[in-house]
Amino acid sequence: MSRTQAEIQEIEFSLRQPKEIKRKPAIKHVISLMTAGRDVSALFSPLLSCLNTKDIEIKKLIYLYLMHYAKSKPSLVEQALQFIVVDVNDQNPLVRALALRTMASIRVEKFTTFLIEPLKEGLKDKDPYVRKTAVLAVAKLFDINPELVKKHGFVDRLTKLLSDSNSMVVSNTVATLMEISNASPEPVFQVTKENEKYITSAINESTEWGQVFLLESLMEYQPPSPKEAEKIIDRVVPRLSHKNSAVVLSSVRLILKMFTFIEEKEIILQFARKMAPSLVSLMDNNPEVQYVALRNINLFVQRFPKLLIKDAKVFFCKYKDPVYIKMEKVDILVMLATNSNINELLIEFTEYAKEVDVDFVRKSVNAIGKCAIKLSKAAQACVKVLIELVKTKINYIVQEVIIVVRDIFRRYPNQYESIIGVLCENLQSLDQPEAKASMVWIIGEYSDRIDNADELLKAFLFNFHEEDPEVQLQLLTSSVKLFLSKPDEGQEILEQVLSTATNESDNPDLRDRAFMYFRLVDAGFEEANNIILGEKPLIDTISFKYDSKLLGKLLSQISTLSSVFHKLPETFISGAKVFAQEDDDNSNDEDDGGILQVQEKEKEKKIEREKKNEMETQQIGQLINFADSQPPPIVKTKSIPQQRNDSPDQEMFEMEIAQRNDEVIVDKEEIIDEERGKGMIVSAAFRRREQQIYFDLTISNRTSYPFGKLAMVFNKNLFGMKPNAQVPITGIMPGQTTECSVVCPIIQSHKLPANEATLEVQIAIKNFEVFYTQCTSPMNIFFTEDGKIEKRNFLNHWKAISDDDERIKEIQGLSETNPDILKMKLANLNIFFIAKRQEGSIDILYFSLKLVNSVIFLIELSIDQENQSCQLATRSQDTSLIPLFEEFMERFLTD
Amino acid sequence: MISAITFINEKGSILISRMYREDIPKNFAESFRIEVIAAKEIGCPIKQMEDTIFMFQRISNIFIVAVTKKNVNAALVFEFLKTLVSVLESYFGSVNENSIRNNFSLIYEILDETIDFGYPQNSSTDILKLYINQENFRQDKDSAETAKKIAIKATGVIGWRKDDIFYPRNELFLDVIESVNLLMSNSGNVLKSDVAGVIVMKSQLSGMPECKLGLNDKVAIEEQTTKTSKARDSAIALDDCTFHQCVKLGKFDSDRTISFIPPDGVFELMKYRTTENVMLPFKVMPVVKEQGGSTVEAKVTIRAEFSEKLFASKVVIRIPVPKNTADTKTSTTIGRAKYDPTAEAIVWRIKRFPGRTESSINAEINLIRGVDSNKTWSRPPISMDFQVPMYTSSGLRVRFLKVFEKSNYEAVKWVRYITKAGSYQIRI
């Protein structure tokens, strides 16, 4: 007999002792073994016999055991249930509550029906302790079986309990209703004017936790008038003095929410002033709470930038603060910097720069730079401090200074050049690409004023091939700048760089850019000068702010994880529901929640779309900027709204847009079969939807063991798609099949050289071992949504491309010849109809499309109805991709 | 809400784990071990791994971890962990791996009672102790009648007080404890100074007493305009106060009265903060010079700024020295100084420091010339510890403390003041 068996037998013997006092230590022993992960399920029946006791402690321990083994041993539960059912009617309210709590925690579905009747009784129990326990038991029941909750009308029963005389019952009820509502397809609980009264009056008498639940539920309340909103705030303001930070932050959150219903700025400001000291007080807490507070204060300061300025000192770092606190404090200090407190702040930042933690030091140096850019009057003082810091000669400080100085030059051109000399003395110590690139940029930009610019650049050229691409590109540009400002000194360097870049580099970006410069310089000194050394747009005051819509949403999440991460819940919580959120232009209309929610979702999509557009425009901005290859300026470009053209064609087009569905369904292709994948089957397809490219995967597990985390990488491909996340599924159980999608943004550096045009994407998927495979990307996923060219511009574009760059292809056996249907089908692929004309029996249609790399294709499609054939003429600046396109169109039109 | 609370030791093994919801993977402790414990450097107390989020507090050699998958109220979770620690401390003293192992069934019981389905419930120690205790005098407490009373209290309006308390002698002790925080530059400029005060009360009162506390708070005094100008002059401005849950917040907001029914025994009645007119008990004047990488000379002079009738006790001044210190020579005018290699500092202790006096220390620090000796020394600040009884840095005074009870007894009231060093730092 093994030791374990002996031990178990020994325990069993003790459990069967007649005296309870002797049994108790044995029961504890069982639980401790269970916690340690040992299997003690064999002891069930002797334990069960101990359940007939008055001792609550024993009961609790045995119930704990029961909950632990319930899932794996349902038969045991059945035996125990008879004891528990007796307890539900016990005289002792603590026992009644315990029994309810335990029953609801046994998550075995077939026993849930036993729970219904006791639960109904429990909600009506004369003892509040039982009622508050029963309320949460409803939440548990909902988690196991939402249907039963619906069927037995528990939601109505709960709603009645909102007027319960006991505040703890009310707060648990509110918590349960909120949870059920959030998990239901439609909200089942709404805070009406009537239950708002019950909720606010319960706040005063609740425990600290109860107050938080009650305050959170009021977030859903839509006050009918601004006066009503003010009333709520008045009720909540005293909570700001509560010791518990969760109560304080939840109050702040509710007050901010109520602000959206008030228009008078004065009233808002008056209440906001009351919140400021409470937020500052949160700094007297343990680091964990401080961290939550700091992340939230960051949001608050963005909304009310002036209110905390006088308290800036509170955010000075203490020597012993954990680094994660210090980092947050520095961010806030930069936000609170003004011309009057900047001197104090600079002393602080300089002090921080002497500390040992490298990240923190760099952050502090960076903060000084940010202040210089933010406050033009203080820039001089900031630069002086930076110069002092360079003199420390500490490697990472010097590098960070160089990085921020570049931004300072971009903000105040030709002003603080005295620092250049100091920086030039410290070139040897540079090892970070970003710092190197910044330094090279500075040398190039000020090459006319740096006497030995050529020597300095030469020093960097020595190791040209080993440098980071970022540095190489910068060296290229700076050499050109040097050449233009000092042709004699720069010529040799430029020649060397251009020849190295064009002949020896395998980086297409570098090569292309070198060729471009080569031609530019070749075209004439004047032109090159104008383009390369021309005026540059100043960088804006670096904004530390989120856009107001996102900020509004984050503020309505104050105190939650979302506000700590500065991310909306749906971006990090699986299955989070997007709820009607506040908005700046929140109207007070009383639509029912459902409609509001839909509108809201649509609004959000729109915002996303706008953001995307903005990003794209920025990318284009960056591309254009390559001409001068300076650090990409922070340009704020607004997306240009599509101009409305009143021609009938345009309207037609609008209609088509309305009709078309966003997604073009492409069947998945099996890219790894069972044999090759050793039991893993993967089918996949690239699809375009919501303006993004998705890689949709279906993964099946035919092995006998569960899969762990899957990893996936793409080889370089035509346009540079790269999955932006890992496969978001783990733990696929044997026999299971799971689907998932990964967004694949376009990453320039991930592009194939242009001469290897193929739509195949090579993919490696790692499970237990790595599987290599490939998947064809249908070309239409690279057609962007903004590819429509205006009719009147189309002709200009068409003419701008020489006839030599036109490719013509005949396609036979069309499956569809009706121009209107074709128009619609092509619009689904983001190939946009421009105009139509007729020549005898031939319909000639014009289309345009834009690729993700901004290359535009202009298409003339001449359809011969009689012969079911057509002629496809395509013009583009980049003809290399036309063959692929023709192939794609042929397949599409004949399919 | 919270899906599980787990106690994990430094090796990453689970001491206690209570699952409230089943939405988290069973092996979550494993990923916590890999991502947090193995990372060694304990950074941010919130970590997300896949879609599971860990929020933890480290205490002695264990981690108390709350696990969730929802967008929970982060402040609430950390406040709860804090409360949980203080509940456990009140049951069995310090919380560490051993005490957790020795009390596991008690802890399970507490975890069961203080959270239900992830929602924190009543966590007041006084009430919990009524029905969760390890002694075996439980039998009589388990009778239905007493249980009913307990159940009422556990959900009651005044959840923090039993109603049948009796003391032959009714006494009320009030301690005003101030921590003064200072950050001073090496040139003697005050960069930041503030006072974090806490008023701790020990109540030994019978029945259901209603108490009222009056402070020399500027706002409160200005509201009662009849007061003389003298009272107004000595009034101080409190930047912000926070209160124990027993204080009626609505009343404080409307007329600045602090009125409450106190819990029995010791509790923290209120916390406050002031930044205006902070009186610093000590001035520190440091001169620290590095002499060419082989020696550092330090001369630090300290002056007590409080009245000569008072004195400070347990004064400790820590003067940081570089890592590569070989030995030190010190001479002091008062107290004793010693080099403490683990603290990397010269620790100067003075048992009793009379008011309005000055004393100083001279130290010569010899350094070992080594490989890393040319690394710059980060020059951490000098820090100080002290206690000054019967002194408040903020100038706060208790104006009155009244007790009303229906039996109309006369309560004896005691008020003490003390100022301690919070983070009292002088840069060098």
Side-chain angles (χ1 to χ4, degrees):
Chain A
M1 192 163 57
S2 76
R3 227 188 94 243
T4 329
Q5 275 173 322
E7 195 179 356
I8 298 236
Q9 278 206 347
E10 211 172 284
I11 298 171
E12 184 169 355
F13 177 75
S14 313
L15 286 175
R16 296 205 190 277
Q17 291 281 320
K19 285 210 170 143
E20 192 161 73
I21 293 189
K22 291 198 174 159
R23 294 202 296 259
K24 205 162 169 178
I27 296 172
K28 284 190 182 175
H29 194 178
V30 175
I31 302 297
S32 81
L33 290 177
M34 186 182 88
T35 309
R38 297 266 294 278
D39 181 14
V40 283
S41 56
L43 290 166
F44 183 75
S45 52
L47 265 181
L48 203 62
S49 61
C50 300
L51 201 48
N52 189 8
T53 172
K54 281 255 178 275
D55 187 330
I56 297 192
E57 196 188 349
I58 291 184
K59 267 193 211 289
K60 281 182 182 167
L61 289 173
I62 299 177
Y63 285 163
L64 201 65
Y65 176 93
L66 206 59
M67 285 184 258
H68 191 257
Y69 285 110
K71 264 259 162 85
S72 50
K73 305 236 160 42
S75 59
L76 303 184
V77 179
E78 206 158 1
Q79 292 175 48
L81 217 54
Q82 44 185 328
F83 285 95
I84 308 180
V85 171
V86 172
D87 278 356
V88 168
N89 296 316
D90 197 279
Q91 283 254 302
N92 183 337
L94 297 176
V95 174
R96 289 205 297 277
L98 179 62
L100 269 180
R101 198 159 70 204
T102 310
M103 272 177 86
S105 303
I106 296 175
R107 301 177 51 92
V108 180
E109 223 182 317
K110 70 174 181 184
F111 299 126
T112 46
T113 41
F114 287 93
L115 185 60
I116 305 295
E117 282 315 309
L119 204 49
K120 284 182 186 167
E121 289 306 309
L123 290 175
K124 289 187 291 196
D125 200 289
K126 58 183 184 303
D127 196 295
Y129 187 83
V130 181
R131 290 203 299 276
K132 73 113 182 159
T133 310
V135 167
L136 284 180
V138 175
K140 293 176 194 170
L141 178 63
F142 182 84
D143 197 38
I144 313 166
N145 191 338
E147 282 308 306
L148 278 179
V149 170
K150 219 177 184 182
K151 193 171 138 203
H152 292 272
F154 276 114
V155 171
D156 288 338
R157 286 166 205 267
L158 286 176
T159 314
K160 277 185 201 129
L161 281 177
L162 286 175
S163 55
D164 197 282
S165 60
N166 184 290
S167 59
M168 207 163 190
V169 177
V170 180
S171 61
N172 278 358
T173 304
V174 162
T176 303
L177 281 171
M178 295 279 292
E179 180 164 339
I180 293 178
S181 198
N182 283 340
S184 302
E186 63 239 31
V188 295
F189 164 61
Q190 245 149 28
V191 184
T192 60
K193 197 156 185 292
E194 191 187 355
N195 43 31
E196 176 267 317
K197 261 185 249 152
Y198 298 128
I199 293 173
T200 34
S201 61
I203 291 180
N204 287 330
E205 294 171 350
S206 282
T207 64
E208 43 199 334
W209 320 118
Q211 296 188 14
V212 174
F213 307 145
L214 294 166
L215 289 165
E216 277 178 358
S217 75
L218 287 175
M219 288 295 290
E220 302 289 312
Y221 181 57
Q222 307 268 333
S225 68
K227 271 269 159 276
E228 204 60 34
E230 264 182 70
K231 251 194 210 161
I232 302 265
I233 297 179
D234 274 331
R235 288 262 187 140
V236 175
V237 161
R239 298 293 119 205
L240 292 172
S241 307
H242 202 284
K243 214 176 101 185
N244 186 315
S245 66
V247 176
V248 175
L249 285 173
S250 301
S251 309
V252 168
R253 177 182 178 193
L254 179 58
I255 294 172
L256 289 172
K257 168 82 186 185
M258 289 301 136
F259 281 175
T260 58
F261 300 98
I262 299 175
E263 270 158 28
E264 279 176 73
K265 289 233 161 73
E266 262 313 297
I267 296 178
I268 289 181
L269 211 58
Q270 173 203 330
F271 283 122
R273 279 198 199 100
K274 289 198 174 182
M275 289 192 275
S278 305
L279 288 171
V280 171
S281 281
L282 296 176
M283 289 297 98
D284 282 336
N285 253 310
N286 57 352
E288 290 83 11
V289 174
Q290 270 189 51
Y291 178 68
V292 175
L294 284 166
R295 295 292 288 170
N296 280 299
I297 288 171
N298 187 310
L299 295 174
F300 183 84
V301 175
Q302 293 191 31
R303 174 78 172 79
F304 299 103
K306 292 200 175 122
L307 289 179
L308 288 175
I309 287 174
K310 65 177 172 37
D311 294 305
K313 282 181 181 177
V314 177
F315 303 103
F316 283 5
C317 299
K318 293 182 186 147
Y319 190 71
K320 291 212 166 131
D321 279 338
V323 172
Y324 64 87
I325 296 279
K326 288 181 176 172
M327 301 289 245
E328 294 302 323
K329 283 185 170 174
V330 169
D331 274 341
I332 291 176
L333 286 175
V334 172
M335 291 163 82
L336 296 178
T338 63
N339 285 323
S340 51
N341 66 13
I342 185 70
N343 288 333
E344 275 175 276
L345 291 186
L346 286 176
I347 294 172
E348 279 300 301
F349 290 145
T350 320
E351 199 63 37
Y352 303 160
K354 293 179 193 159
E355 290 199 17
V356 275
D357 188 288
V358 176
D359 288 339
F360 178 56
V361 170
R362 295 186 55 174
K363 180 123 191 165
S364 309
V365 175
N366 191 277
I368 299 172
K370 278 186 180 161
C371 288
I373 291 164
K374 182 180 170 187
L375 309 166
S376 56
K377 280 188 192 151
Q380 178 81 50
C382 296
V383 170
K384 225 171 112 190
V385 172
L386 289 174
I387 292 177
E388 285 305 309
L389 285 172
V390 174
K391 289 183 184 158
T392 60
K393 304 251 177 204
I394 297 170
N395 185 334
Y396 49 85
I397 294 187
V398 174
Q399 306 207 42
E400 192 66 29
V401 170
I402 290 175
I403 293 169
V404 298
V405 162
R406 179 193 58 188
D407 287 342
I408 293 176
F409 283 147
R410 296 278 289 120
R411 174 90 173 89
Y412 312 104
N414 307 327
Q415 277 188 45
Y416 300 108
E417 285 136 38
S418 56
I419 196 172
I420 296 174
V422 188
L423 294 181
C424 289
E425 288 162 20
N426 293 285
L427 299 184
Q428 299 78 15
S429 54
L430 304 187
D431 53 15
Q432 288 164 21
E434 197 185 354
K436 273 189 190 172
S438 299
M439 193 63 222
V440 173
W441 181 84
I442 293 171
I443 297 172
E445 188 66 20
Y446 291 92
S447 52
D448 52 336
R449 268 155 280 185
I450 303 174
D451 291 337
N452 57 345
D454 52 333
E455 286 166 34
L456 295 175
L457 275 186
K458 258 185 208 158
F460 284 99
L461 290 176
F462 187 66
N463 258 342
F464 191 83
H465 286 294
E466 274 92 71
E467 297 291 359
D468 204 83
E470 185 185 7
V471 183
Q472 291 178 338
L473 288 170
Q474 202 57 64
L475 277 169
L476 181 58
T477 310
S478 289
S479 310
V480 180
K481 286 182 184 166
L482 173 69
F483 169 71
L484 291 174
S485 62
K486 294 178 182 170
D488 300 341
E489 292 163 30
Q491 185 158 11
E492 185 198 343
I493 293 179
L494 183 62
E495 277 167 9
Q496 186 194 340
V497 174
L498 284 178
S499 88
T500 319
T502 50
N503 298 330
E504 291 166 38
S505 168
D506 50 9
N507 177 346
D509 279 351
L510 186 68
R511 253 180 1 226
D512 287 356
R513 211 190 285 191
F515 277 124
M516 188 193 69
Y517 280 130
F518 186 74
R519 285 183 200 131
L520 202 58
V521 174
D522 205 37
F525 196 80
E526 270 307 301
E527 280 85 351
N529 224 333
N530 284 342
I531 293 169
I532 294 170
L533 297 181
E535 289 263 320
K536 283 168 286 291
L538 290 187
I539 56 168
D540 219 334
T541 305
I542 292 181
S543 118
F544 313 107
K545 283 186 162 188
Y546 297 120
D547 85 24
S548 66
K549 278 194 175 133
L550 179 64
L551 181 62
K553 283 185 186 169
L554 288 176
L555 284 169
S556 74
Q557 295 290 343
I558 288 271
S559 191
T560 67
L561 284 174
S562 164
S563 73
V564 176
F565 294 153
H566 290 189
K567 285 187 205 160
L568 294 176
E570 55 270 26
T571 61
F572 67 95
I573 298 287
S574 52
K577 193 162 157 186
V578 185
F579 256 101
Q581 300 279 2
E582 74 186 75
D583 232 85
D584 289 354
D585 51 353
N586 213 336
S587 49
N588 290 344
D589 54 3
E590 286 169 293
D591 282 355
D592 76 315
I595 293 176
L596 222 141
Q597 202 179 313
V598 172
Q599 286 175 343
E600 204 51 48
K601 268 192 183 157
E602 247 161 34
K603 232 182 240 170
E604 222 152 80
K605 265 194 197 156
K606 212 172 111 198
I607 295 166
E608 250 166 50
R609 230 175 287 148
E610 273 168 17
K611 248 197 215 152
K612 180 93 198 284
N613 277 343
E614 197 165 310
M615 252 172 53
E616 269 168 17
T617 339
Q618 261 185 24
Q619 269 173 6
I620 297 165
Q622 286 177 13
L623 281 172
I624 292 168
N625 228 291
F626 274 169
D628 185 55
S629 140
Q630 7 171 293
I634 299 163
V635 201
K636 284 209 170 139
T637 21
K638 289 220 174 75
S639 55
I640 304 140
Q642 279 214 343
Q643 274 173 6
R644 204 185 153 82
N645 188 331
D646 281 332
S647 77
D649 269 335
Q650 182 72 19
E651 255 174 28
M652 176 81 178
F653 165 70
E654 301 272 358
M655 234 173 64
E656 283 164 13
I657 283 282
Q659 280 171 357
R660 75 180 234 221
N661 56 345
D662 269 341
E663 199 177 332
V664 178
I665 301 295
V666 184
D667 286 333
K668 284 185 190 162
E669 151 189 15
E670 198 174 85
I671 57 171
I672 296 178
D673 59 26
E674 188 168 352
E675 196 187 349
R676 264 186 61 208
K678 302 193 177 154
M680 175 173 74
I681 305 175
V682 181
S683 319
F686 287 97
R687 290 168 184 163
R688 186 175 186 89
R689 56 178 181 265
E690 290 152 353
Q691 312 208 345
Q692 282 181 317
I693 300 168
Y694 283 85
F695 191 47
D696 292 339
L697 290 149
T698 305
I699 301 166
S700 307
N701 182 353
R702 297 276 165 83
T703 65
S704 54
Y705 42 84
F707 289 170
K709 199 170 170 172
L710 294 176
M712 175 171 74
V713 288
F714 289 1
N715 200 347
K716 288 194 174 176
N717 53 63
L718 186 55
F719 289 96
M721 282 190 297
K722 197 172 184 182
N724 74 340
Q726 282 311 320
V727 183
I729 39 173
T730 48
I732 306 174
M733 301 312 285
Q736 206 184 352
T737 297
T738 315
E739 294 200 344
C740 69
S741 295
V742 182
V743 182
C744 306
I746 301 294
I747 312 288
Q748 287 299 334
S749 61
H750 208 62
K751 257 168 65 171
L752 271 182
N755 51 5
E756 297 178 43
T758 170
L759 288 165
E760 297 285 3
V761 181
Q762 294 173 341
I763 298 164
I765 296 179
K766 181 167 169 261
N767 181 7
F768 298 100
E769 56 185 282
V770 184
F771 301 104
Y772 296 96
T773 179
Q774 53 186 17
C775 185
T776 313
S777 48
M779 194 162 185
N780 63 294
I781 62 169
F782 302 108
F783 303 166
T784 63
E785 280 71 9
D786 57 354
K788 185 168 173 73
I789 291 180
E790 267 192 70
K791 203 171 172 179
R792 55 166 179 256
N793 291 340
F794 185 83
L795 203 60
N796 296 339
H797 277 279
W798 185 266
K799 282 180 184 158
I801 299 168
S802 75
D803 290 355
D804 295 340
D805 285 338
E806 183 176 295
R807 299 280 180 276
I808 293 175
K809 187 177 172 75
E810 299 285 341
I811 299 172
Q812 305 290 337
L814 297 189
S815 56
E816 180 60 64
T817 54
N818 182 335
D820 290 324
I821 294 177
L822 270 176
K823 267 181 345 200
M824 236 147 76
K825 281 174 87 174
L826 287 169
N828 272 343
L829 302 175
N830 290 338
I831 302 177
F832 298 99
F833 172 69
I834 308 293
K836 179 184 157 185
R837 71 191 164 97
Q838 213 156 11
E839 265 185 36
S841 66
I842 294 179
D843 284 314
I844 302 176
L845 306 174
Y846 291 93
F847 295 91
S848 74
L849 71 88
K850 191 164 133 199
L851 289 168
V852 283
N853 58 1
S854 298
V855 168
I856 291 174
F857 276 23
L858 306 172
I859 300 137
E860 184 191 51
L861 194 64
S862 320
I863 305 169
D864 186 346
Q865 298 284 5
E866 285 169 18
N867 295 328
Q868 301 248 318
S869 69
C870 74
Q871 189 193 56
L872 173 71
T874 315
R875 286 188 176 202
S876 168
Q877 305 98 314
D878 184 353
T879 52
S880 65
L881 293 170
I882 291 182
L884 282 177
F885 175 68
E886 286 174 343
E887 211 178 297
F888 169 77
M889 284 300 280
E890 179 165 34
R891 207 169 324 129
F892 178 77
L893 292 169
T894 56
D895 196 358
Chain B
M1 274 294 119
I2 302 170
S3 292
I5 297 270
T6 311
F7 292 69
I8 295 178
N9 71 5
E10 274 173 326
K11 292 189 193 106
S13 35
I14 298 184
L15 303 175
I16 281 185
S17 174
R18 178 73 172 89
M19 300 269 263
Y20 297 105
R21 293 181 178 228
E22 302 212 332
D23 56 352
I24 49 172
K26 280 244 153 48
N27 59 349
F28 67 88
E30 183 62 10
S31 36
F32 183 80
R33 194 175 64 79
I34 295 166
E35 300 279 338
V36 179
I37 300 179
K40 290 220 169 110
E41 239 175 89
I42 305 297
C44 171
I46 304 181
K47 280 264 154 71
Q48 179 169 14
M49 280 148 243
E50 313 268 319
D51 51 358
T52 310
I53 297 153
F54 297 92
M55 303 159 83
F56 56 92
Q57 188 182 349
R58 205 192 148 106
I59 177 157
S60 70
N61 52 357
I62 55 163
F63 295 88
I64 307 181
V65 191
V67 193
T68 186
K69 269 201 162 178
K70 297 259 157 63
N71 180 28
V72 295
N73 190 322
L76 177 125
V77 174
F78 284 126
E79 285 284 350
F80 178 78
L81 291 181
K82 200 166 83 180
T83 311
L84 181 63
V85 171
S86 68
V87 168
L88 296 183
E89 278 171 347
S90 80
Y91 270 99
F92 50 77
S94 74
V95 174
N96 54 45
E97 184 168 351
N98 262 337
S99 63
I100 297 289
R101 282 191 195 279
N102 293 337
N103 292 287
F104 80 93
S105 72
L106 168 73
I107 297 172
Y108 269 125
E109 229 180 315
I110 291 171
L111 287 176
D112 229 26
E113 194 53 46
T114 48
I115 300 191
D116 195 359
F117 202 46
Y119 294 102
Q121 304 289 302
N122 196 337
S123 55
S124 137
T125 319
D126 291 350
I127 300 298
L128 287 173
K129 281 194 172 164
L130 288 177
Y131 59 109
I132 301 180
N133 46 41
Q134 292 292 285
E135 289 80 51
N136 279 338
F137 59 86
R138 194 184 276 267
Q139 260 64 14
D140 62 311
K141 298 237 168 191
D142 286 342
S143 78
E145 279 314 303
T146 22
K148 270 178 202 162
K149 280 188 189 161
I150 291 170
I152 296 285
K153 271 169 215 147
T155 57
V157 176
I158 303 166
W160 55 86
R161 190 178 174 91
K162 304 181 271 188
D163 56 359
D164 50 357
I165 300 168
F166 177 76
Y167 286 98
R169 188 178 147 87
N170 290 294
E171 282 185 300
L172 195 54
F173 302 86
L174 200 66
D175 278 322
V176 178
I177 304 164
E178 295 200 335
S179 299
V180 49
N181 298 311
L182 169 75
L183 186 61
M184 199 189 267
S185 74
N186 51 6
S187 55
N189 289 332
V190 175
L191 298 174
K192 173 189 163 190
S193 67
D194 60 80
V195 172
V198 47
I199 299 185
V200 176
M201 192 171 251
K202 182 176 171 192
S203 84
Q204 296 182 341
L205 300 172
S206 316
M208 275 289 175
E210 175 116 34
C211 303
K212 249 188 192 177
L213 173 68
L215 303 173
N216 58 340
D217 163 22
K218 218 177 206 166
V219 187
I221 288 171
E222 271 162 16
E223 281 199 6
Q224 301 148 339
T225 43
T226 50
K227 287 286 173 257
T228 59
S229 62
K230 198 184 160 208
R232 214 172 297 167
D233 285 346
S234 66
I236 62 154
L238 297 179
D239 287 17
D240 190 40
C241 338
T242 56
F243 297 99
H244 185 266
Q245 54 169 332
C246 68
V247 175
K248 292 168 185 152
L249 294 176
K251 223 158 158 34
F252 179 76
D253 193 58
S254 61
D255 59 7
R256 300 284 276 197
T257 346
I258 303 167
S259 83
F260 54 97
I261 297 170
D264 194 37
V266 183
F267 70 101
E268 220 171 69
L269 175 68
M270 71 177 280
K271 278 190 186 172
Y272 58 90
R273 189 170 53 83
T274 71
T275 47
E276 276 175 38
N277 304 322
V278 174
M279 296 178 278
L280 296 173
F282 288 101
K283 263 247 160 73
V284 181
M285 290 144 283
V287 183
V288 178
K289 280 190 205 143
E290 288 172 71
Q291 310 278 25
S294 62
T295 51
V296 177
E297 274 176 23
K299 180 181 163 71
V300 181
T301 310
I302 293 176
R303 194 168 68 229
E305 299 276 333
F306 43 87
S307 132
E308 59 267 36
K309 289 176 199 152
L310 303 176
F311 64 90
S313 59
K314 295 184 185 164
V315 179
V316 182
I317 299 112
R318 269 176 290 270
I319 303 159
V321 298
K323 251 199 179 89
N324 55 337
T325 298
D327 60 2
T328 62
K329 274 182 224 145
T330 55
S331 63
T332 59
T333 53
I334 181 176
R336 278 183 189 182
K338 223 174 100 184
Y339 165 55
D340 179 352
T342 50
E344 289 171 23
I346 294 173
V347 183
W348 176 23
R349 291 173 200 275
I350 303 150
K351 279 193 187 131
R352 195 183 154 99
F353 203 122
R356 298 251 180 261
T357 61
E358 197 175 282
S359 44
S360 59
I361 179 170
N362 276 306
E364 194 184 305
I365 300 140
N366 292 313
L367 306 178
I368 310 166
R369 280 186 171 272
V371 202
D372 55 347
S373 59
N374 43 12
K375 256 195 192 168
T376 48
W377 174 40
S378 72
R379 295 173 79 107
I382 294 178
S383 63
M384 260 188 100
D385 273 339
F386 52 77
Q387 295 187 354
V388 191
M390 299 321 285
Y391 175 83
T392 52
S393 270
S394 65
L396 182 104
R397 283 280 173 275
V398 172
R399 283 171 49 230
F400 58 82
L401 176 57
K402 295 174 189 159
V403 179
F404 308 95
E405 218 278 334
K406 38 178 201 281
S407 60
N408 241 338
Y409 55 73
E410 200 51 50
V412 186
K413 290 159 280 187
W414 308 89
V415 179
R416 283 191 300 189
Y417 301 93
I418 190 164
T419 291
K420 294 180 179 175
S423 134
Y424 208 83
Q425 299 188 329
I426 300 91
R427 287 178 179 160
I428 53 175

